[in-house]
Amino acid sequence: MTDHPVARLQSRGTRRWLKGHAALVYLFLYGPIAMLAVLSFNDSGLPTSWGGFSFRWYGELLRNPAILHSVANSLVVAFFVTLIATAGGTLLALGLEQGRPSTALDSFVMVPMIIPDIVLAIALLSFYTTLQFTLGLYSIVLSQSVFVMAFAAAVVRTRLRNFDRSILEASVDLGADGWTTFWRVTLPAILPGVIAAALLSFTLSIDDFVIAYFSAGAGRSSTTFPMQIYAMIRFGVTPTINAIATILVLVSVTLMLTAQRLAREAQP
Amino acid sequence: MTVRAGTIPVAAPADPRARERLLLLAGPLGWIALFLVVPCLLIGIYSLFERGTYGGIEWNFTFENFRRAADPLYFGILIKSLWIAGLATAIALLVGYPAAFLIATSPERWQKLLLVLAVLPFWTNYLIRSYAWIVILNREGAINNLLRGLGLTSEPLPLLYNEFAIVLGLVYAYLPFMILPLYAAISRLGADLIEASTDLGADGWRSFRRIILPLTLPGIAAGSIFVFVYSLGNFITPDLLGGGRTVMVGNLIYDQFLTARDWPFGAALAFILIGIMMGLLTLQAFLINRARRIGTYD
């Protein structure tokens, strides 16, 4: 059997229409990104004329100290956000998957994921201002960790759901206490999910602009990579952005594909 | 009767699993409460006071900020934002549903690949994805050049810096988030269910409308709420593709906080967005609870 049972019930015409539609959707999703990637190797830097293949714009990128500084900032922030969000997200997932499912709790945990980033950003800015925090890289870490944690929890939960709980009971029956069971049974079983959550956290942190922008304070010293990109885009169409785009897309895609593999591996 | 101290579990919860759950959840939920719930409540408080002369807050209680949000100028922006977000959601649903349907009914080994490919763009940088549309839509951009090259237009079409560009950018950005829950809902459908309805004489369209559509309602709700709320509060897309004028409520909030320095008014606007979001999440929880009750959701 190659076709899905539902697919067999549909007429050939409907099926063909669905396939054509899906092809256009994928073209829509990938066309713009692919175009930037091609343009990044265009020596003329213009979207309209091909000036020959070159790495010129990548070279320019590496010679720009402001960009390099912002990348370093983003990496530092992403490292700490990944630590906090992965640890918190894993605990959250373990707690939520234990006991009876609660729609109210599930909805609450969705709030950090769904809240418009501008709202969270200004709420946190008001919060820090009221507490008279000096803003900087560490306030970016605190701000990002909240919504990233919720996403991390979602990834670990997927993994937890596909895992056979009877081995936990077996472990307890064999005399292991809760702590031993966690370290020796639960954690190894969900570890791929935890690593996937870490990769996702890193990606989300590296890409976040709005929340970082409002939590960074006024100084240029805590400019992150997306803030730098935003300034460049506002300034106008610059060919260097094409090179940045290509690198960023490659990094995110690699991280996310790895995460996907880990989160889903060994699924029934 | 004498009881030795320490043998009675005085305050311990009856269920050790419940205690374990509490231990696991206390940290992360406390973190979310501190860095999300408290700041949002603070916004609620800010929105009820006056702005200071030089920015900041004057602690005089007032409803003025909310009254101002109902002022035709600002109310118009709110309505326009709701309209743009609604339009983007409707288009994403119409485009995303058939795509999710195809993915969910593809042969098993294709499903994972197609789904990953559909969701992957969401994890790439938002600014970069918006920038791509600037390159495509601007006066000297890819589309206008193509049209002129083909001799179809002499003047460049105004494709960028308008509502069209904003809606396009929003659909592009959030389509993956529509497809994902729709896929989950559709792939949960039992084939036998649809088969039974077809056997009973329902034609394709009717079995879709009467059976598939109602059963995938939780997925439709989840995807639509995501796209709608993200679009409504968005400020990057209207800023970059809408031409920088204050067009949506996200830009208005941004301006109040960073330019006009009227935090209480910005807080009131943000609070309205939170209210809309909470309302929609409640609606979704209601739909999921109902689906759980009739057994079409696990």
Side-chain angles (χ1 to χ4, degrees):
Chain A
M1 187 193 77
T2 50
D3 274 350
H4 189 278
V6 176
R8 275 182 290 139
L9 295 167
Q10 293 167 330
S11 73
R12 247 164 221 280
T14 313
R15 207 65 202 155
R16 200 172 298 154
W17 179 82
L18 279 174
K19 282 182 183 165
H21 173 82
L24 288 177
V25 167
Y26 285 105
L27 181 69
F28 172 64
L29 288 175
Y30 286 92
I33 301 174
M35 179 200 67
L36 289 187
V38 172
L39 287 179
S40 74
F41 296 109
N42 182 3
D43 192 65
S44 79
L46 297 169
T48 46
S49 66
W50 182 254
F53 184 91
S54 95
F55 283 109
R56 184 179 153 198
W57 305 111
Y58 289 88
E60 264 181 38
L61 198 63
L62 292 175
R63 282 191 296 274
N64 186 327
I67 291 177
L68 295 180
H69 180 71
S70 69
V71 170
N73 275 345
S74 276
L75 289 174
V76 170
V77 169
F79 174 77
F80 287 105
V81 169
T82 303
L83 277 185
I84 300 173
T86 310
T90 304
L91 290 176
L92 195 55
L94 286 166
L96 289 173
E97 284 300 309
Q98 195 163 82
R100 205 178 298 158
S102 151
T103 314
L105 211 52
D106 285 353
S107 298
F108 177 72
V109 176
M110 256 182 81
V111 172
M113 289 196 267
I114 198 173
I115 191 168
D117 41 16
I118 183 100
V119 174
L120 185 58
I122 60 141
L124 284 162
L125 175 62
S126 309
F127 181 59
Y128 298 141
T129 310
T130 307
L131 293 179
Q132 299 186 329
F133 263 29
T134 322
L135 300 178
L137 288 184
Y138 72 97
S139 53
I140 301 180
V141 170
L142 292 177
S143 299
Q144 287 186 345
S145 67
V146 188
F147 78 94
V148 176
M149 186 184 288
F151 278 99
V155 174
V156 179
R157 281 181 89 177
T158 321
R159 182 80 194 184
L160 270 172
R161 282 205 192 128
N162 297 314
F163 135 85
D164 183 6
R165 269 154 194 284
S166 59
I167 61 169
L168 292 184
E169 281 151 39
S171 162
V172 176
D173 286 348
L174 290 170
D177 59 22
W179 196 239
T180 315
T181 305
F182 176 76
W183 282 111
R184 305 285 294 269
V185 184
T186 314
L187 193 59
I190 62 166
L191 195 60
V194 176
I195 297 172
L199 295 176
L200 173 71
S201 303
F202 190 83
T203 312
L204 284 170
S205 170
I206 284 277
D207 282 340
D208 165 62
F209 164 66
V210 178
I211 289 168
Y213 186 62
F214 277 84
S215 303
R220 281 191 57 82
S221 60
S222 44
T223 298
T224 64
F225 194 30
M227 285 154 69
Q228 178 71 28
I229 297 173
Y230 182 72
M232 290 169 75
I233 294 178
R234 284 301 298 267
F235 187 71
V237 174
T238 341
T240 330
I241 302 177
N242 299 331
I244 293 178
T246 310
I247 294 172
L248 260 183
V249 167
L250 273 179
V251 170
S252 319
V253 164
T254 312
L255 289 175
M256 289 318 296
L257 284 180
T258 316
Q260 207 84 30
R261 265 200 111 85
L262 290 166
R264 290 178 174 265
E265 147 195 295
Q267 243 183 36
Chain B
M1 184 179 154
T2 54
V3 184
R4 269 189 304 142
T7 56
I8 326 169
V10 189
D15 183 2
R17 286 181 62 91
R19 211 180 69 184
E20 204 178 299
R21 190 178 198 203
L22 193 70
L23 273 172
L24 290 166
L25 290 177
L29 287 184
W31 192 269
I32 295 175
L34 183 63
F35 289 106
L36 186 127
V37 180
V38 171
C40 284
L41 291 176
L42 192 68
I43 287 283
I45 296 171
Y46 270 24
S47 69
L48 292 171
F49 290 90
E50 284 173 13
R51 69 175 291 197
T53 329
Y54 306 102
I57 306 281
E58 203 73 58
W59 295 105
N60 299 323
F61 186 86
T62 175
F63 279 118
E64 182 52 32
N65 298 309
F66 288 97
R67 204 172 302 132
R68 241 177 104 198
D71 185 291
L73 173 65
Y74 300 119
F75 196 68
I77 291 175
L78 194 61
I79 294 295
K80 197 169 167 190
S81 309
L82 288 167
W83 160 249
I84 289 177
L87 197 60
T89 308
I91 295 173
L93 180 60
L94 285 177
V95 173
Y97 200 103
F101 200 91
L102 181 91
I103 298 172
T105 56
S106 288
E108 203 71 51
R109 63 202 161 85
W110 284 101
Q111 277 191 31
K112 271 179 203 166
L113 178 69
L114 287 172
L115 187 68
V116 169
L117 282 178
V119 179
L120 207 53
F122 184 79
W123 305 116
T124 60
N125 191 288
Y126 193 94
L127 295 167
I128 294 298
R129 283 184 292 152
S130 306
Y131 172 73
W133 285 103
I134 299 181
V135 176
I136 293 172
L137 298 176
N138 78 49
R139 290 172 66 87
E140 302 297 321
I143 289 183
N144 270 319
N145 253 288
L146 186 72
L147 290 176
R148 244 178 314 175
L150 294 172
L152 292 172
T153 52
S154 48
E155 281 292 297
L157 295 177
L159 299 169
L160 193 60
Y161 304 135
N162 51 32
E163 256 175 61
F164 161 79
I166 299 176
V167 173
L168 182 68
L170 292 173
V171 171
Y172 179 69
Y174 299 133
L175 189 58
F177 240 126
M178 181 63 96
I179 292 179
L180 194 60
L182 284 176
Y183 163 83
I186 296 167
S187 62
R188 248 197 296 261
L189 290 178
D192 44 344
L193 198 78
I194 300 160
E195 212 154 0
S197 87
T198 322
D199 287 349
L200 290 170
D203 58 39
W205 172 242
R206 247 179 72 189
S207 77
F208 174 74
R209 200 166 48 90
R210 301 285 293 271
I211 296 167
I212 300 178
L213 205 57
L215 287 178
T216 51
L217 203 59
I220 294 174
S224 302
I225 288 171
F226 260 116
V227 178
F228 186 78
V229 175
Y230 279 165
S231 302
L232 186 63
N234 200 296
F235 99 95
I236 299 178
T237 300
D239 188 54
L240 293 179
L241 305 182
R245 282 164 296 132
T246 303
V247 270
M248 287 179 75
V249 65
N251 309 76
L252 194 55
I253 296 175
Y254 175 94
D255 285 343
Q256 296 310 314
F257 268 80
L258 295 189
T259 323
R261 298 220 136 256
D262 188 346
W263 288 24
F265 183 49
L269 293 168
F271 209 69
I272 293 172
L273 285 190
I274 294 176
I276 294 174
M277 177 191 72
M278 296 304 280
L280 289 171
L281 278 180
T282 312
L283 176 72
Q284 188 198 14
F286 169 79
L287 283 174
I288 288 177
N289 266 341
R290 202 184 61 168
R292 264 191 186 137
R293 232 178 12 251
I294 55 176
T296 53
Y297 188 88
D298 52 32

